[in-house]
Structure formats: C-alpha cells, structure tokens
Amino acid sequence: MTEQSGSRGSPSGKLSLSREMSAAQGDAPTDIDSILSVSADEEDGFDAFSAMLSADSMSMSDEVRDYVFENSRRYHKYSEGRYHFPNDDAEQEREDMQHAMVMLLCDGKLHYAPLQNPQSVLDIGTGTGIWAIDMGDEYPEAEILGIDLSPIQPLWVPRNVQFLVDNVEEEWVQPANSLDYIHSRQMAPTIRDWPRIIAEAYKALKPGGWLEIQDLKCDVQCDDDTLREGDFCALYAKTLTRALLRLDIDYIGAVENYPRWIREAGFVNVHEVVLKAPLGTWPKDPHQAKIGLYNRNVIYDGLHGFSIKPFTHGLGWTPEEVEVFLVDIRKALLNSTAHIYLPFHSVFAQKPFEPATGGSR
C-alpha cells in the first residue's frame, strides 16, 4: 500500500489510512518497500508488516474508526447522520455484488468517459473500494484516491490506490486543476446538494478532465403490460424515494437533473448513457437474465439496510412496521413475473480546455 501523497491533506479530521499508518510509526519514515521485499518464509519481516497494519497502530481519531449501532445495523461515526445506510459486513457484501452487476450491465466497462492515460483519479463515495481497486489495476500509471465516510476499505490494495476518510459534502481541499477524472456511483440516495458537488468537481478537474456520475434510478419501469397496479416492487421504490425526500434527499430528481446541473456548472461534451437493469430472471437473453438475477439479489439483500433508517427517521415508522412491510416486498421480489427493470444512468462530461489566444478553444 502506498503512502498518501501530498496532493490532499488531512485537515479537520480528514484522515488518510495510508498516511496515518506511517504516522503511527513515529517520526522515522517507514520503508515499506523493504518490508514488502521480504520473502514469505521470513517470519520476522511478515510480523513487522502485520504489526504496522494492525488497528492499534493506526493513529486515527476515535470518531473516524468508531461506529454507531441502530436497529441491529452498523453506521459510520464520522459526520454521523449524513449517510442513512449501514456500513456493516452484510452491506459491504451487497455493495460488492452491486459492482459485479454493474460491470455485467456495462459489458465490463469501469467508465464511459473517453479517458486517455489518466494520471489522477478521484472516486467519490468509494464504499468498499472495489471500483477504485479495479481502476488501479486497469490504469497502473494513475494515482487512484477513494474517499468515503467509513474506513471499511481493504488494506491490501494496488500500490497506486489510496483511501481517505472524508465527507464530500464539506469543503473540498483537493487542489484546483489537479484531477483527470472524477467518478461517482450510486450516490443519488445520499447527496443533498448536487450542484455544489458538481461545482467542486469542476474546480478540481484539470482542463480537459472528465466527470462521470452513475446511478440506478429508483423507479420501477416496464415496457409491456406485465406490471400490475399495486405492484409491491414499484410500491417499495416509491416509498423509499418518499422517505428520502423527508430527509432532504431527492433521489429521482437528482438522476433526472444531472445533465442540466453539469451543463450549468460549465462542462461541455455532456453525454448520457441509459441502460435497463432487469429486476429478476425474466429476460430470455441469458446475459440479461444473469444481470436480472444479480440485481434482484442486490436489492433483496439490501432491503433492510435501505429501509430501516430512512423509514424510521423519514417516515416515522417503527422498526416493527418496517419489518412487516418488507415481508410482502421480499415475496414480490422472488415471485414477480412482471418484466420490470431499473434505469441505469451514466452521465459524463468534460471540463473545457483553457482558452488559447483570442478566446478560442
């Protein structure tokens, strides 16, 4: 794991896991290369590296590495309450499955933006870090930084991948004109002020750099007459979006307004790719049916985590009322014969190149 570069500091609680591991060793710099070069059968070297990576050796504040528990789910402590979904093991497994589903849906593409030898990449809301890690493997010459409110990312990652505990809705300290690419996926249910985030991204990108925002829209759709009135899957999507609205998060409105907000921020070459993510194994095409299976499992496994905090805090339901409601939703997910899907939106755009002479580009 590489040391945190100086491109992004750690003010006011913004903590780099890699930087803090080094700080824990004292003033003397840690020679990670020499540790990594030790052969597997040299136990002393292995023990030294393990000790360096132990939780006790990380000088992170209690707020960052502590957690909050509510209704049997674990949540982040840092900037407590900003994110309404859990970060426990069950949710991490679901996030990794969601990544696999999106990769199937996008034919293995990590991005749609036409990147050319990117050197600096920022992943907003990196979660388990799986996208950032795959990106680091695909672009070994690039420096990949993933930020999240929760320090749940693995320690064993490509040397060009780093993670930072940070709140993207606070002031960015990323230097202006420093990034080639900024990526965000499935953040529509979490961000309250997207125009501000997009404006910060514009400042941080180099001229010619790309911003890409990807989200599944929480809107069950059907292209034929198999979706019946009162469908429980559609009801759940509407209930979740209503709960998030009570918490000042406009899930559907965000996805629909990305292109407009991005243009208003000054981006050019704005493109939008819209795909259909089947919900269930109803498609006749085996590849689409596989996507539908993954998507159904992602939602089924995530129902409690999606619902328990938004429904109790946003709608005022009791935990028992949430559990009763989810019984019918789970049955509908497993037994539905409707040809339903969720739209997947990927919006990407470019920061214009600085004008040459005479105001021309």
Side-chain angles (χ1 to χ4, degrees), residues 71-89:
N71 293 315
S72 77
R73 303 308 297 259
R74 191 187 73 184
Y75 298 86
H76 66 96
K77 177 68 173 177
Y78 177 66
S79 294
E80 182 180 345
R82 297 299 298 179
Y83 184 71
H84 297 289
F85 306 106
N87 64 7
D88 47 30
D89 290 346

Side-chain angles (χ1 to χ4, degrees), residues 100-109 112 216 221 223 273-297 338-344:
M101 186 275 291
V102 173
M103 292 299 289
L104 284 172
L105 181 66
C106 298
D107 295 326
K109 297 183 180 70
Y112 283 99
L216 279 168
Q221 298 188 8
D223 293 337
V273 175
V274 181
L275 304 173
K276 299 176 182 179
L279 188 51
T281 56
W282 58 264
K284 294 181 180 179
D285 177 78
H287 181 72
Q288 291 296 314
K290 186 176 182 180
I291 296 171
L293 175 63
Y294 275 53
N295 197 20
R296 184 181 69 188
N297 290 346
H339 300 166
I340 55 178
Y341 63 89
L342 297 176
F344 175 84

Side-chain angles (χ1 to χ4, degrees), residues 27-316:
D27 295 333
T30 302
D31 186 356
I32 294 181
D33 289 334
S34 65
I35 295 175
L36 290 176
S37 66
V38 176
S39 61
D41 58 354
E42 292 181 78
E43 293 185 0
D44 291 341
F46 180 79
D47 290 343
F49 192 46
S50 298
M52 188 190 74
L53 296 181
S54 71
D56 289 339
S57 73
M58 298 183 190
S59 61
M60 295 188 292
S61 70
D62 290 341
E63 181 188 24
V64 170
R65 56 185 171 86
D66 198 5
Y67 301 106
V68 177
F69 292 86
E70 181 179 323
N71 293 315
S72 77
R73 303 308 297 259
R74 191 187 73 184
Y75 298 86
H76 66 96
K77 177 68 173 177
Y78 177 66
S79 294
E80 182 180 345
R82 297 299 298 179
Y83 184 71
H84 297 289
F85 306 106
N87 64 7
D88 47 30
D89 290 346
E91 174 63 9
Q92 292 178 46
E93 292 175 3
R94 189 204 65 80
E95 284 190 11
D96 286 348
M97 183 180 293
Q98 178 176 267
H99 175 74
M101 186 275 291
V102 173
M103 292 299 289
L104 284 172
L105 181 66
C106 298
D107 295 326
K109 297 183 180 70
L110 288 168
H111 56 84
Y112 283 99
L115 304 182
Q116 296 182 356
N117 191 30
Q119 297 299 301
S120 52
V121 174
L122 177 65
D123 184 28
I124 296 173
T126 195
T128 65
I130 190 169
W131 181 91
I133 292 169
D134 283 355
M135 196 72 172
D137 287 333
E138 184 161 324
Y139 295 98
E141 301 302 317
E143 291 295 326
I144 316 295
L145 176 63
I147 63 174
D148 201 275
L149 290 172
S150 298
I152 57 174
Q153 302 77 32
L155 294 175
W156 296 94
V157 298
R159 293 185 60 84
N160 61 330
V161 177
Q162 302 174 56
F163 298 110
L164 183 73
V165 178
D166 198 358
N167 181 359
V168 71
E169 294 192 88
E170 294 179 351
E171 181 182 359
W172 288 28
V173 294
Q174 187 70 37
N177 304 311
S178 63
L179 297 171
D180 294 301
Y181 178 58
I182 298 176
H183 170 268
S184 167
R185 181 197 287 167
Q186 211 53 36
M187 291 290 285
T190 70
I191 300 295
R192 292 165 176 79
D193 189 353
W194 273 106
R196 181 178 180 275
I197 299 295
I198 293 169
E200 293 282 1
Y202 185 91
K203 289 189 293 184
L205 283 168
K206 299 175 184 176
W210 291 87
L211 169 67
E212 183 162 0
I213 305 176
Q214 299 182 343
D215 272 290
L216 279 168
K217 187 177 180 182
C218 190
D219 182 21
V220 173
Q221 298 188 8
C222 180
D223 293 337
D224 55 28
D225 60 357
T226 58
L227 180 62
R228 305 302 182 190
E229 185 176 353
D231 181 270
F232 278 107
C233 295
L235 173 63
Y236 177 79
K238 293 176 181 177
T239 306
L240 178 59
T241 55
R242 181 163 58 93
L244 291 173
L245 272 174
R246 296 279 184 88
L247 299 170
D248 298 322
I249 298 172
D250 188 356
Y251 189 163
I252 291 181
V255 178
E256 293 177 345
N257 283 288
Y258 285 151
R260 177 172 65 85
W261 290 334
I262 287 173
R263 289 189 179 93
E264 290 175 352
F267 285 90
V268 296
N269 297 328
V270 181
H271 303 272
E272 183 171 21
V273 175
V274 181
L275 304 173
K276 299 176 182 179
L279 188 51
T281 56
W282 58 264
K284 294 181 180 179
D285 177 78
H287 181 72
Q288 291 296 314
K290 186 176 182 180
I291 296 171
L293 175 63
Y294 275 53
N295 197 20
R296 184 181 69 188
N297 290 346
V298 165
I299 294 174
Y300 186 94
D301 291 348
L303 277 175
H304 185 266
F306 297 157
S307 311
I308 191 65
K309 199 167 186 178
F311 289 10
T312 56
H313 288 244
L315 299 179

